[in-house]
Amino acid sequence: MNTIRRIVEFAKVKTFAFKCIAIGAALALVASACVIQLASTQLIGGRQTAQAATANRTLTVTLSAKRGRILDANGSVLAQSVERYTIVANPEAAQEFEPITCNDNTRDYCHEIDGKPVGATGAAAVGRLLAKVLDMNAMELGADLSGTGQYVILKKDVTPQVKRSIEALHLGGIVWGELSSERLYADGDLMGALLGGVNDNGDGVAGIEQVENKTLTGTDGHETYQRGNGGEEIPGTMTESVAAKNGDDVTLTIDRDVQWYVKKVLKEAESKYGAAWAIAVVQDVQSGEILALADSDEVQAGTDAAKMSPSRAVSETFEPGSVGKVISMSGYLQMGLHKMSDQLSVPDHITQEGQTYKDSFDHGTERWTLAGILQNSSNVGMIMAGENYPDEQRYEYLTKFGIGQPTGLNLPGESSGLLTNPSAWDLRTRNTILFGQGYTVNALQLNNVVATIANKGVKQQQSIIKSTTDANGKTTETKKGEATRVVDEKVASDMMNAMESVAEGYNKFVKVDGYRMAAKSGTAEVQGSDGTLSSIISDYSVVIPADNPRYAVTVVMKDPNGVFGGLTAGPVSAQICEFLMQKYEVPVSSPRKNAIPVTW
């Protein structure tokens, strides 16, 4: 019996030992597997794991380049980009947000609103914290933060102060600001459509912003570094840094003070004369630089209106009317067909080849010199004097003075006007061409006609971009096109003499005390909204001072009460001229001598 019992007990011990050995072997196998896996992770996959962790923390941030400024001739800022931020958030992180209660130990990183607990968790809590800073509705913010994904834009174009206020909310890793910029224009509608605007990407799409977009646009940089859980840069982890290169500044020839005054005068004139619109150009005679280019339209720079519509001052074309007589008469003199003192007997109407032409007023046969024909703006006298003036030369001198040609300013929306080839002229057009009808111009072209006469017969390339300045302060003057001689100096001098007599004829309405002026007025019928010749263009071009030409000014108005250019556009140009004389402290004129007789 004892033997049987010992055998049973031995069998149990043997079974238990076997189980222990089996369990030990299994544990040894598991341990070996763990050791192998650990060795694999550390020795084989460790580098890959570390690289993956580093890559997950590494961030490349774009450093936005600032768009260059647009300045006036004196350095006043007309357009500039300012630092702004786009506030973005991680919705997934927001939904897991748990506000930290404020106490003495957590004061530096806790969350509260006006000294009180947030009163919510998740996206709703983040929305409540942001609402006051962003001036937005807390519930709307909460809804934006309740979506899927890790990126949502909450608000654009916030100031650096707002960004700093958000950083003080201790929402790192949930809400942050991305650097952007906003284009600001200093003077509203002062140069609205002329400056134009930029699109959402910061590219110039209209006006000078478009013309100089390549110059104004900078090159973005970037930084690559590792970030912590709160989105902050981990010190010492910067691996790459390329600085942004800001765009160049562009300086215009426009004088802001002159532009402001001209704009003011045009708006007042539009109201006073009931005109549909008014345009003015102020140009430096000797350099061709445009000091003011304005219209009465009220278009804010940077708005959709400024981006969609070009400046009226460059896009509007019209028949110049009698100002065009300056071109034809210059051609008569240059070709030797006449001298300014030539004597003609001029009736108030004339018929040629079945076409009848009349002057703007009834008169008997007048004994006028060529200077008198210009002073009295006689259409009949111009036709009589142009009897031996071939069509080819009529066309040639129009083109030499810039009619039908681009101004070279390359402003968006600029129209070169319309000048057809002589082969397309009918019997009437070949004569109306002589007194400013049958072709169209823009205000810049017309102003350069009288500026060329004032510049001793030399036509300057007009300019509106004075220089560019890079981020290092290096200024480069803009290259100008070559000047071209249109008529001889003697011809220009005689034309100035006759134009001064024209100005004296308007002295009761158009004058600047102490200064001599040389001018020509114009009035032309143009097509109205009804498709007929029911509208009027009134213009006046003037050079001041006549004895020492400095500035050429042209004012154009559509449908003013008073009609005639000398009675409407003329007084407006005188206001501008008076301002110029005072601003630039131009010496008064010497008395006039040797005026060419206007009658005989």
Side-chain angles (χ1 to χ4, degrees):
M1 192 69 179
N2 291 334
T3 301
I4 295 172
R5 184 180 298 110
R6 286 198 294 271
I7 292 172
V8 172
E9 290 178 352
F10 177 77
K12 289 181 178 178
V13 170
K14 187 176 181 180
T15 300
F16 176 76
F18 178 78
K19 289 181 179 179
C20 288
I21 293 171
I23 292 171
L27 290 174
L29 183 63
V30 171
S32 297
C34 290
V35 170
I36 292 170
Q37 181 63 37
L38 180 62
S40 174
T41 300
Q42 291 180 337
L43 300 178
I44 301 175
R47 179 176 299 178
Q48 295 178 348
T49 302
Q51 289 176 343
T54 300
N56 190 52
R57 294 195 304 269
T58 300
L59 178 69
T60 297
V61 178
T62 298
L63 303 177
S64 299
K66 186 177 291 186
R67 188 173 177 82
R69 300 176 299 171
I70 299 177
L71 313 172
D72 90 328
N74 302 311
S76 296
V77 177
L78 301 173
Q80 65 179 327
S81 294
V82 295
E83 181 181 340
R84 291 292 183 265
Y85 289 87
T86 298
I87 303 303
V88 297
N90 181 336
E92 291 183 2
Q95 292 162 32
E96 297 176 359
F97 173 67
E98 292 284 345
I100 297 174
T101 303
C102 291
N103 54 47
D104 293 340
N105 297 324
T106 64
R107 184 62 58 187
D108 292 337
Y109 52 88
C110 67
H111 307 95
E112 61 183 9
I113 300 173
D114 295 330
K116 298 178 181 179
V118 177
T121 61
V126 177
R128 291 185 184 186
L129 286 165
L130 291 173
K132 186 175 182 180
V133 177
L134 291 179
D135 191 24
M136 295 175 67
N137 182 275
M139 294 183 65
E140 291 179 359
L141 283 168
D144 291 337
L145 293 165
S146 296
T148 58
Q150 297 182 345
Y151 188 93
V152 64
I153 294 176
L154 300 180
K155 193 169 187 178
K156 294 183 177 181
D157 295 330
V158 306
T159 65
Q161 291 86 345
V162 171
K163 174 182 174 287
R164 288 194 290 270
S165 296
I166 290 175
E167 290 172 345
L169 295 175
H170 312 303
L171 295 173
I174 300 175
V175 182
W176 65 93
E178 294 182 348
L179 182 64
S180 64
S181 65
E182 182 181 9
R183 197 66 168 167
L184 298 183
Y185 299 90
D187 297 297
D189 71 347
L190 181 63
M191 294 177 62
L194 187 60
L195 286 176
V198 299
N199 61 17
D200 290 341
N201 295 324
D203 298 320
V205 293
I208 291 170
E209 292 276 25
Q210 179 181 345
V211 174
E212 294 298 314
N213 185 59
K214 185 176 180 180
T215 301
L216 292 164
T217 302
T219 303
D220 289 345
H222 63 271
E223 288 182 346
T224 301
Y225 57 84
Q226 295 180 41
R227 59 180 174 176
N229 293 332
E232 73 283 357
E233 178 185 344
I234 299 175
T237 62
M238 180 79 69
T239 57
E240 186 176 17
S241 178
V242 177
K245 182 180 180 296
N246 292 333
D248 294 353
D249 290 342
V250 172
T251 298
L252 307 183
T253 61
I254 299 288
D255 186 319
R256 179 186 174 279
D257 293 342
V258 178
Q259 180 80 10
W260 173 83
Y261 186 79
V262 171
K263 182 86 174 182
K264 172 179 176 291
V265 167
L266 290 180
K267 286 183 177 181
E268 292 172 350
E270 181 184 52
S271 176
K272 177 179 179 179
Y273 295 103
W277 48 256
I279 297 170
V281 183
V282 179
Q283 178 175 336
D284 185 294
V285 165
Q286 297 176 6
S287 68
E289 293 183 346
I290 304 301
L291 304 182
L293 181 58
D295 56 61
S296 57
D297 296 344
E298 296 184 358
V299 177
Q300 301 286 323
T303 62
D304 289 341
K307 299 173 192 176
M308 296 294 291
S309 303
S311 167
R312 186 185 297 277
V314 300
S315 65
E316 194 73 48
T317 59
F318 50 89
E319 290 189 349
S322 292
V323 180
K325 291 171 181 170
V326 171
I327 300 173
S328 301
M329 193 166 286
S330 296
Y332 299 167
L333 299 179
Q334 185 65 31
M335 289 189 64
L337 300 178
H338 289 285
K339 298 187 296 295
M340 194 61 80
S341 57
D342 283 359
Q343 302 171 348
L344 292 86
S345 296
V346 185
D348 65 358
H349 67 279
I350 189 173
T351 299
Q352 285 190 356
E353 299 178 309
Q355 299 290 321
T356 299
Y357 308 88
K358 297 181 179 180
D359 283 344
S360 61
F361 61 99
D362 296 333
H363 60 80
T365 300
E366 298 289 348
R367 295 154 60 97
W368 288 329
T369 63
L370 201 64
I373 288 173
L374 191 68
Q375 183 191 50
N376 291 280
S377 201
S378 172
N379 298 339
V380 174
M382 290 297 296
I383 294 172
M384 293 174 64
E387 184 176 355
N388 297 317
Y389 192 45
D391 288 359
E392 290 73 18
Q393 273 64 52
R394 299 179 189 205
Y395 180 82
E396 177 187 351
Y397 280 94
L398 285 166
T399 56
K400 280 186 173 181
F401 273 100
I403 307 306
Q405 313 298 310
T407 63
L409 297 179
N410 300 316
L411 293 171
E414 179 183 340
S415 171
S416 297
L418 178 64
L419 175 63
T420 58
N421 192 277
S423 61
W425 295 350
D426 57 26
L427 294 176
R428 188 169 188 83
T429 299
R430 69 178 299 271
N431 281 328
T432 61
I433 287 286
L434 297 175
F435 47 83
Q437 296 180 20
Y439 62 91
T440 61
V441 299
N442 64 37
L444 285 159
Q445 292 170 329
L446 190 59
N447 199 61
N448 214 19
V449 169
V450 296
T452 298
I453 296 298
N455 196 38
K456 301 180 179 180
V458 176
K459 178 175 173 284
Q460 291 284 4
Q461 168 60 56
Q462 293 171 308
S463 63
I464 200 168
I465 307 299
K466 188 179 185 70
S467 64
T468 59
T469 303
D470 65 20
N472 296 320
K474 181 183 178 182
T475 297
T476 303
E477 296 292 325
T478 301
K479 292 182 179 179
K480 298 181 181 179
E482 292 186 4
T484 56
R485 179 164 290 282
V486 178
V487 295
D488 294 340
E489 187 172 338
K490 176 64 166 61
V491 171
S493 176
D494 287 346
M495 287 301 303
M496 284 290 291
N497 194 312
M499 289 169 63
E500 190 166 355
S501 295
V502 172
E504 288 179 348
Y506 286 102
N507 196 48
K508 186 180 295 184
F509 312 101
V510 187
K511 67 177 181 177
V512 178
D513 290 338
Y515 296 91
R516 290 159 51 186
M517 294 189 287
K520 188 67 191 80
S521 65
T523 308
E525 291 181 321
V526 295
Q527 190 177 60
S529 57
D530 59 0
T532 66
L533 296 178
S534 57
S535 281
I536 294 291
I537 288 293
S538 299
D539 50 21
Y540 198 88
S541 293
V542 57
V543 175
I544 188 169
D547 55 324
N548 182 25
R550 291 280 303 276
Y551 306 104
V553 177
T554 292
V555 173
V556 186
M557 302 174 70
K558 184 176 182 182
D559 292 331
N561 299 325
V563 180
F564 295 110
L567 304 180
T568 54
V572 179
S573 69
Q575 286 181 269
I576 296 171
C577 287
E578 183 175 25
F579 179 82
L580 293 172
M581 297 302 97
Q582 293 176 354
K583 174 176 172 57
Y584 296 114
E585 299 180 346
V586 178
V588 296
S589 296
S590 58
R592 187 183 186 194
K593 299 178 181 178
N594 303 318
I596 299 172
V598 295
T599 60
W600 56 279

